């Protein structure tokens, strides 16, 4: 009597593991992208707060083209690891903060009235 697994038994286990992985990996990827989008939304809220403080001092909003300008003009601690951030000032009484994904160029936007928009499926 031999002890051990047959080749068929090992192949069946490998196939089952492959099926489980094919289900789990896409879900994991989606959850990682959702977490990155939630971090971007948090940064947009920080930018909005910085714009509100800037408005209180200057009676107008400011435009910022990148994270460096956002940090220096608004004092907002934002990193651009997964998303690029910018702020467009439509007039002295409005702005639109935009987070653009570096992976697929989808966007999440937030304006002075706390209204979200953009093309990302993960916006709040």
């Amino acid at each position: 009597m031999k002890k051990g697994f047959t080749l068929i038994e090992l192949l069946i286990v490998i196939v089952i593991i492959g099926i489980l992985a094919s289900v789990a990996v896409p879900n994991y990827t989606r959850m990682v992208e959702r977490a990155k989008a939630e971090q971007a939304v948090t940064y947009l809220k920080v930018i909005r707060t910085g714009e509100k403080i800037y408005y209180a001092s200057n009676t107008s909003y400011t435009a910022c083209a990148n994270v460096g300008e956002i940090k220096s003009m608004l004092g907002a601690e934002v990193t651009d690891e997964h998303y690029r951030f910018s702020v467009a000032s439509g007039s002295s009484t409005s702005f639109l903060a935009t987070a653009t994904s570096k992976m697929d160029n989808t966007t999440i936007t937030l304006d002075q009235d706390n209204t979200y928009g953009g093309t990302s499926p993960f916006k709040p």
Side-chain angles (χ1 to χ4, degrees), residues 86-123:
S86 63
V87 181
S89 179
S91 68
S92 63
T93 60
S94 68
F95 72 89
L96 184 67
T98 304
T100 305
S101 172
K102 290 183 175 181
M103 183 175 180
D104 58 7
N105 284 330
T106 58
T107 60
I108 305 170
T109 61
L110 179 64
D111 67 8
Q112 71 283 347
D113 297 324
N114 208 27
T115 304
Y116 290 95
T119 61
S120 174
F122 300 119
K123 61 183 177 275

mmCIF file of all heavy atoms in Angstrom, residues 86-123:
data_model
loop_
_atom_site.group_PDB
_atom_site.id
_atom_site.type_symbol
_atom_site.label_atom_id
_atom_site.label_comp_id
_atom_site.label_asym_id
_atom_site.label_seq_id
_atom_site.Cartn_x
_atom_site.Cartn_y
_atom_site.Cartn_z
ATOM 1 N N SER A 86 -6.210 69.071 -8.549
ATOM 2 C CA SER A 86 -6.156 70.448 -9.026
ATOM 3 C C SER A 86 -7.417 71.159 -8.572
ATOM 4 O O SER A 86 -8.417 70.519 -8.234
ATOM 5 C CB SER A 86 -6.036 70.505 -10.548
ATOM 6 O OG SER A 86 -7.184 69.942 -11.148
ATOM 7 N N VAL A 87 -7.333 72.492 -8.541
ATOM 8 C CA VAL A 87 -8.488 73.302 -8.164
ATOM 9 C C VAL A 87 -8.661 74.372 -9.228
ATOM 10 O O VAL A 87 -7.730 75.125 -9.513
ATOM 11 C CB VAL A 87 -8.305 73.961 -6.782
ATOM 12 C CG1 VAL A 87 -9.538 74.765 -6.411
ATOM 13 C CG2 VAL A 87 -7.998 72.919 -5.716
ATOM 14 N N ALA A 88 -9.847 74.444 -9.804
ATOM 15 C CA ALA A 88 -10.179 75.480 -10.776
ATOM 16 C C ALA A 88 -11.121 76.472 -10.104
ATOM 17 O O ALA A 88 -12.072 76.074 -9.437
ATOM 18 C CB ALA A 88 -10.844 74.873 -12.004
ATOM 19 N N SER A 89 -10.819 77.728 -10.262
ATOM 20 C CA SER A 89 -11.667 78.767 -9.692
ATOM 21 C C SER A 89 -12.477 79.387 -10.819
ATOM 22 O O SER A 89 -11.950 80.101 -11.660
ATOM 23 C CB SER A 89 -10.804 79.818 -8.999
ATOM 24 O OG SER A 89 -11.619 80.837 -8.461
ATOM 25 N N GLY A 90 -13.777 79.089 -10.832
ATOM 26 C CA GLY A 90 -14.636 79.604 -11.881
ATOM 27 C C GLY A 90 -14.899 81.086 -11.748
ATOM 28 O O GLY A 90 -15.032 81.808 -12.724
ATOM 29 N N SER A 91 -14.970 81.555 -10.546
ATOM 30 C CA SER A 91 -15.165 82.979 -10.248
ATOM 31 C C SER A 91 -14.699 83.190 -8.823
ATOM 32 O O SER A 91 -14.191 82.282 -8.183
ATOM 33 C CB SER A 91 -16.637 83.364 -10.400
ATOM 34 O OG SER A 91 -17.408 82.732 -9.392
ATOM 35 N N SER A 92 -14.869 84.386 -8.306
ATOM 36 C CA SER A 92 -14.440 84.639 -6.937
ATOM 37 C C SER A 92 -15.332 83.926 -5.930
ATOM 38 O O SER A 92 -14.992 83.828 -4.756
ATOM 39 C CB SER A 92 -14.420 86.138 -6.655
ATOM 40 O OG SER A 92 -15.736 86.663 -6.774
ATOM 41 N N THR A 93 -16.484 83.411 -6.380
ATOM 42 C CA THR A 93 -17.410 82.763 -5.449
ATOM 43 C C THR A 93 -17.595 81.274 -5.716
ATOM 44 O O THR A 93 -18.490 80.664 -5.135
ATOM 45 C CB THR A 93 -18.788 83.455 -5.522
ATOM 46 O OG1 THR A 93 -19.277 83.348 -6.866
ATOM 47 C CG2 THR A 93 -18.701 84.901 -5.095
ATOM 48 N N SER A 94 -16.773 80.679 -6.581
ATOM 49 C CA SER A 94 -16.909 79.243 -6.832
ATOM 50 C C SER A 94 -15.556 78.617 -7.161
ATOM 51 O O SER A 94 -14.642 79.284 -7.617
ATOM 52 C CB SER A 94 -17.884 78.980 -7.976
ATOM 53 O OG SER A 94 -17.345 79.439 -9.191
ATOM 54 N N PHE A 95 -15.473 77.326 -6.886
ATOM 55 C CA PHE A 95 -14.285 76.554 -7.263
ATOM 56 C C PHE A 95 -14.715 75.112 -7.513
ATOM 57 O O PHE A 95 -15.798 74.687 -7.100
ATOM 58 C CB PHE A 95 -13.202 76.607 -6.174
ATOM 59 C CG PHE A 95 -13.534 75.816 -4.944
ATOM 60 C CD1 PHE A 95 -13.198 74.475 -4.837
ATOM 61 C CD2 PHE A 95 -14.183 76.412 -3.875
ATOM 62 C CE1 PHE A 95 -13.512 73.737 -3.710
ATOM 63 C CE2 PHE A 95 -14.496 75.692 -2.739
ATOM 64 C CZ PHE A 95 -14.166 74.352 -2.654
ATOM 65 N N LEU A 96 -13.862 74.376 -8.195
ATOM 66 C CA LEU A 96 -14.089 72.961 -8.439
ATOM 67 C C LEU A 96 -12.769 72.232 -8.221
ATOM 68 O O LEU A 96 -11.808 72.438 -8.965
ATOM 69 C CB LEU A 96 -14.600 72.717 -9.863
ATOM 70 C CG LEU A 96 -14.970 71.269 -10.183
ATOM 71 C CD1 LEU A 96 -16.186 70.835 -9.363
ATOM 72 C CD2 LEU A 96 -15.237 71.109 -11.665
ATOM 73 N N ALA A 97 -12.723 71.411 -7.185
ATOM 74 C CA ALA A 97 -11.544 70.598 -6.901
ATOM 75 C C ALA A 97 -11.711 69.262 -7.620
ATOM 76 O O ALA A 97 -12.778 68.643 -7.543
ATOM 77 C CB ALA A 97 -11.390 70.387 -5.403
ATOM 78 N N THR A 98 -10.651 68.832 -8.298
ATOM 79 C CA THR A 98 -10.715 67.614 -9.101
ATOM 80 C C THR A 98 -9.604 66.654 -8.703
ATOM 81 O O THR A 98 -8.455 67.059 -8.562
ATOM 82 C CB THR A 98 -10.574 67.942 -10.604
ATOM 83 O OG1 THR A 98 -11.582 68.883 -10.964
ATOM 84 C CG2 THR A 98 -10.713 66.697 -11.455
ATOM 85 N N ALA A 99 -9.972 65.387 -8.538
ATOM 86 C CA ALA A 99 -9.009 64.307 -8.332
ATOM 87 C C ALA A 99 -9.085 63.411 -9.557
ATOM 88 O O ALA A 99 -10.151 62.897 -9.884
ATOM 89 C CB ALA A 99 -9.350 63.516 -7.081
ATOM 90 N N THR A 100 -7.953 63.249 -10.259
ATOM 91 C CA THR A 100 -7.898 62.434 -11.473
ATOM 92 C C THR A 100 -7.038 61.210 -11.203
ATOM 93 O O THR A 100 -5.880 61.332 -10.806
ATOM 94 C CB THR A 100 -7.299 63.237 -12.644
ATOM 95 O OG1 THR A 100 -8.053 64.443 -12.801
ATOM 96 C CG2 THR A 100 -7.338 62.431 -13.928
ATOM 97 N N SER A 101 -7.605 60.034 -11.408
ATOM 98 C CA SER A 101 -6.893 58.788 -11.161
ATOM 99 C C SER A 101 -5.708 58.654 -12.101
ATOM 100 O O SER A 101 -5.828 58.882 -13.310
ATOM 101 C CB SER A 101 -7.838 57.599 -11.347
ATOM 102 O OG SER A 101 -7.117 56.391 -11.293
ATOM 103 N N LYS A 102 -4.572 58.272 -11.575
ATOM 104 C CA LYS A 102 -3.396 58.032 -12.406
ATOM 105 C C LYS A 102 -3.516 56.719 -13.164
ATOM 106 O O LYS A 102 -2.841 56.522 -14.165
ATOM 107 C CB LYS A 102 -2.133 58.012 -11.536
ATOM 108 C CG LYS A 102 -1.764 59.373 -10.995
ATOM 109 C CD LYS A 102 -0.475 59.302 -10.214
ATOM 110 C CE LYS A 102 -0.032 60.676 -9.764
ATOM 111 N NZ LYS A 102 1.225 60.631 -9.019
ATOM 112 N N MET A 103 -4.393 55.845 -12.710
ATOM 113 C CA MET A 103 -4.514 54.531 -13.328
ATOM 114 C C MET A 103 -5.396 54.559 -14.581
ATOM 115 O O MET A 103 -5.017 54.041 -15.620
ATOM 116 C CB MET A 103 -5.081 53.537 -12.325
ATOM 117 C CG MET A 103 -5.178 52.138 -12.814
ATOM 118 S SD MET A 103 -5.719 51.089 -11.483
ATOM 119 C CE MET A 103 -5.744 49.530 -12.289
ATOM 120 N N ASP A 104 -6.571 55.197 -14.483
ATOM 121 C CA ASP A 104 -7.499 55.133 -15.613
ATOM 122 C C ASP A 104 -8.114 56.490 -15.992
ATOM 123 O O ASP A 104 -9.042 56.548 -16.785
ATOM 124 C CB ASP A 104 -8.614 54.132 -15.328
ATOM 125 C CG ASP A 104 -9.403 54.467 -14.077
ATOM 126 O OD1 ASP A 104 -9.182 55.542 -13.479
ATOM 127 O OD2 ASP A 104 -10.254 53.645 -13.684
ATOM 128 N N ASN A 105 -7.589 57.577 -15.434
ATOM 129 C CA ASN A 105 -8.029 58.942 -15.744
ATOM 130 C C ASN A 105 -9.483 59.232 -15.401
ATOM 131 O O ASN A 105 -10.062 60.168 -15.915
ATOM 132 C CB ASN A 105 -7.750 59.309 -17.204
ATOM 133 C CG ASN A 105 -6.289 59.614 -17.430
ATOM 134 O OD1 ASN A 105 -5.593 60.079 -16.536
ATOM 135 N ND2 ASN A 105 -5.818 59.343 -18.617
ATOM 136 N N THR A 106 -10.120 58.421 -14.548
ATOM 137 C CA THR A 106 -11.448 58.781 -14.067
ATOM 138 C C THR A 106 -11.290 59.914 -13.058
ATOM 139 O O THR A 106 -10.221 60.108 -12.482
ATOM 140 C CB THR A 106 -12.156 57.584 -13.400
ATOM 141 O OG1 THR A 106 -11.347 57.103 -12.323
ATOM 142 C CG2 THR A 106 -12.416 56.470 -14.401
ATOM 143 N N THR A 107 -12.356 60.681 -12.865
ATOM 144 C CA THR A 107 -12.270 61.845 -11.994
ATOM 145 C C THR A 107 -13.334 61.815 -10.903
ATOM 146 O O THR A 107 -14.399 61.215 -11.070
ATOM 147 C CB THR A 107 -12.454 63.150 -12.799
ATOM 148 O OG1 THR A 107 -13.741 63.129 -13.417
ATOM 149 C CG2 THR A 107 -11.373 63.317 -13.842
ATOM 150 N N ILE A 108 -13.009 62.494 -9.812
ATOM 151 C CA ILE A 108 -13.958 62.781 -8.746
ATOM 152 C C ILE A 108 -13.844 64.287 -8.514
ATOM 153 O O ILE A 108 -12.733 64.806 -8.394
ATOM 154 C CB ILE A 108 -13.634 62.024 -7.447
ATOM 155 C CG1 ILE A 108 -13.538 60.519 -7.695
ATOM 156 C CG2 ILE A 108 -14.681 62.325 -6.373
ATOM 157 C CD1 ILE A 108 -12.990 59.728 -6.527
ATOM 158 N N THR A 109 -14.963 64.984 -8.467
ATOM 159 C CA THR A 109 -14.929 66.428 -8.269
ATOM 160 C C THR A 109 -15.733 66.807 -7.029
ATOM 161 O O THR A 109 -16.650 66.086 -6.617
ATOM 162 C CB THR A 109 -15.496 67.182 -9.488
ATOM 163 O OG1 THR A 109 -16.858 66.795 -9.689
ATOM 164 C CG2 THR A 109 -14.687 66.900 -10.733
ATOM 165 N N LEU A 110 -15.369 67.953 -6.463
ATOM 166 C CA LEU A 110 -16.072 68.508 -5.305
ATOM 167 C C LEU A 110 -16.061 70.016 -5.451
ATOM 168 O O LEU A 110 -15.009 70.603 -5.724
ATOM 169 C CB LEU A 110 -15.379 68.088 -4.001
ATOM 170 C CG LEU A 110 -15.976 68.613 -2.700
ATOM 171 C CD1 LEU A 110 -17.382 68.072 -2.491
ATOM 172 C CD2 LEU A 110 -15.095 68.230 -1.519
ATOM 173 N N ASP A 111 -17.221 70.642 -5.278
ATOM 174 C CA ASP A 111 -17.277 72.096 -5.414
ATOM 175 C C ASP A 111 -17.498 72.775 -4.069
ATOM 176 O O ASP A 111 -17.537 72.123 -3.024
ATOM 177 C CB ASP A 111 -18.335 72.524 -6.437
ATOM 178 C CG ASP A 111 -19.762 72.235 -5.997
ATOM 179 O OD1 ASP A 111 -19.986 71.840 -4.829
ATOM 180 O OD2 ASP A 111 -20.665 72.399 -6.827
ATOM 181 N N GLN A 112 -17.640 74.108 -4.100
ATOM 182 C CA GLN A 112 -17.763 74.901 -2.884
ATOM 183 C C GLN A 112 -19.034 74.559 -2.099
ATOM 184 O O GLN A 112 -19.107 74.777 -0.900
ATOM 185 C CB GLN A 112 -17.728 76.403 -3.207
ATOM 186 C CG GLN A 112 -18.965 76.929 -3.912
ATOM 187 C CD GLN A 112 -19.004 76.582 -5.391
ATOM 188 O OE1 GLN A 112 -18.007 76.151 -5.958
ATOM 189 N NE2 GLN A 112 -20.152 76.769 -6.008
ATOM 190 N N ASP A 113 -20.043 73.990 -2.759
ATOM 191 C CA ASP A 113 -21.304 73.638 -2.099
ATOM 192 C C ASP A 113 -21.328 72.195 -1.618
ATOM 193 O O ASP A 113 -22.389 71.686 -1.259
ATOM 194 C CB ASP A 113 -22.478 73.884 -3.057
ATOM 195 C CG ASP A 113 -22.604 75.340 -3.443
ATOM 196 O OD1 ASP A 113 -22.338 76.210 -2.575
ATOM 197 O OD2 ASP A 113 -22.950 75.616 -4.602
ATOM 198 N N ASN A 114 -20.169 71.523 -1.630
ATOM 199 C CA ASN A 114 -20.041 70.140 -1.192
ATOM 200 C C ASN A 114 -20.797 69.179 -2.116
ATOM 201 O O ASN A 114 -21.345 68.184 -1.675
ATOM 202 C CB ASN A 114 -20.501 69.987 0.260
ATOM 203 C CG ASN A 114 -19.790 68.846 0.960
ATOM 204 O OD1 ASN A 114 -18.670 68.484 0.624
ATOM 205 N ND2 ASN A 114 -20.445 68.249 1.940
ATOM 206 N N THR A 115 -20.807 69.474 -3.415
ATOM 207 C CA THR A 115 -21.459 68.636 -4.410
ATOM 208 C C THR A 115 -20.405 67.823 -5.146
ATOM 209 O O THR A 115 -19.444 68.382 -5.670
ATOM 210 C CB THR A 115 -22.232 69.519 -5.427
ATOM 211 O OG1 THR A 115 -23.142 70.343 -4.711
ATOM 212 C CG2 THR A 115 -22.987 68.648 -6.415
ATOM 213 N N TYR A 116 -20.617 66.501 -5.163
ATOM 214 C CA TYR A 116 -19.670 65.611 -5.818
ATOM 215 C C TYR A 116 -20.099 65.351 -7.257
ATOM 216 O O TYR A 116 -21.273 65.380 -7.590
ATOM 217 C CB TYR A 116 -19.596 64.262 -5.098
ATOM 218 C CG TYR A 116 -18.932 64.370 -3.744
ATOM 219 C CD1 TYR A 116 -19.690 64.534 -2.596
ATOM 220 C CD2 TYR A 116 -17.556 64.295 -3.634
ATOM 221 C CE1 TYR A 116 -19.085 64.643 -1.358
ATOM 222 C CE2 TYR A 116 -16.949 64.396 -2.405
ATOM 223 C CZ TYR A 116 -17.713 64.572 -1.272
ATOM 224 O OH TYR A 116 -17.110 64.672 -0.060
ATOM 225 N N GLY A 117 -19.114 65.082 -8.108
ATOM 226 C CA GLY A 117 -19.368 64.714 -9.499
ATOM 227 C C GLY A 117 -18.185 63.961 -10.032
ATOM 228 O O GLY A 117 -17.356 63.460 -9.277
ATOM 229 N N GLY A 118 -18.089 63.873 -11.346
ATOM 230 C CA GLY A 118 -16.963 63.206 -11.970
ATOM 231 C C GLY A 118 -17.373 61.926 -12.652
ATOM 232 O O GLY A 118 -18.545 61.581 -12.736
ATOM 233 N N THR A 119 -16.374 61.184 -13.139
ATOM 234 C CA THR A 119 -16.612 59.987 -13.916
ATOM 235 C C THR A 119 -16.299 58.699 -13.164
ATOM 236 O O THR A 119 -16.525 57.616 -13.692
ATOM 237 C CB THR A 119 -15.758 60.001 -15.197
ATOM 238 O OG1 THR A 119 -14.368 60.045 -14.834
ATOM 239 C CG2 THR A 119 -16.098 61.200 -16.073
ATOM 240 N N SER A 120 -15.785 58.800 -11.950
ATOM 241 C CA SER A 120 -15.404 57.598 -11.195
ATOM 242 C C SER A 120 -16.635 56.862 -10.694
ATOM 243 O O SER A 120 -17.585 57.477 -10.213
ATOM 244 C CB SER A 120 -14.528 57.977 -9.993
ATOM 245 O OG SER A 120 -14.278 56.837 -9.205
ATOM 246 N N PRO A 121 -16.632 55.537 -10.779
ATOM 247 C CA PRO A 121 -17.759 54.785 -10.226
ATOM 248 C C PRO A 121 -17.733 54.749 -8.701
ATOM 249 O O PRO A 121 -18.682 54.324 -8.074
ATOM 250 C CB PRO A 121 -17.561 53.382 -10.796
ATOM 251 C CG PRO A 121 -16.102 53.288 -11.060
ATOM 252 C CD PRO A 121 -15.655 54.667 -11.427
ATOM 253 N N PHE A 122 -16.654 55.236 -8.082
ATOM 254 C CA PHE A 122 -16.495 55.144 -6.635
ATOM 255 C C PHE A 122 -16.769 56.440 -5.892
ATOM 256 O O PHE A 122 -16.495 56.538 -4.714
ATOM 257 C CB PHE A 122 -15.078 54.665 -6.292
ATOM 258 C CG PHE A 122 -14.748 53.329 -6.863
ATOM 259 C CD1 PHE A 122 -13.708 53.177 -7.753
ATOM 260 C CD2 PHE A 122 -15.479 52.204 -6.526
ATOM 261 C CE1 PHE A 122 -13.400 51.940 -8.287
ATOM 262 C CE2 PHE A 122 -15.187 50.954 -7.056
ATOM 263 C CZ PHE A 122 -14.127 50.830 -7.938
ATOM 264 N N LYS A 123 -17.290 57.464 -6.547
ATOM 265 C CA LYS A 123 -17.545 58.710 -5.824
ATOM 266 C C LYS A 123 -18.665 58.492 -4.809
ATOM 267 O O LYS A 123 -19.508 57.625 -4.989
ATOM 268 C CB LYS A 123 -17.840 59.862 -6.779
ATOM 269 C CG LYS A 123 -19.049 59.659 -7.656
ATOM 270 C CD LYS A 123 -19.181 60.837 -8.612
ATOM 271 C CE LYS A 123 -20.338 60.639 -9.540
ATOM 272 N NZ LYS A 123 -20.069 59.876 -10.700
#
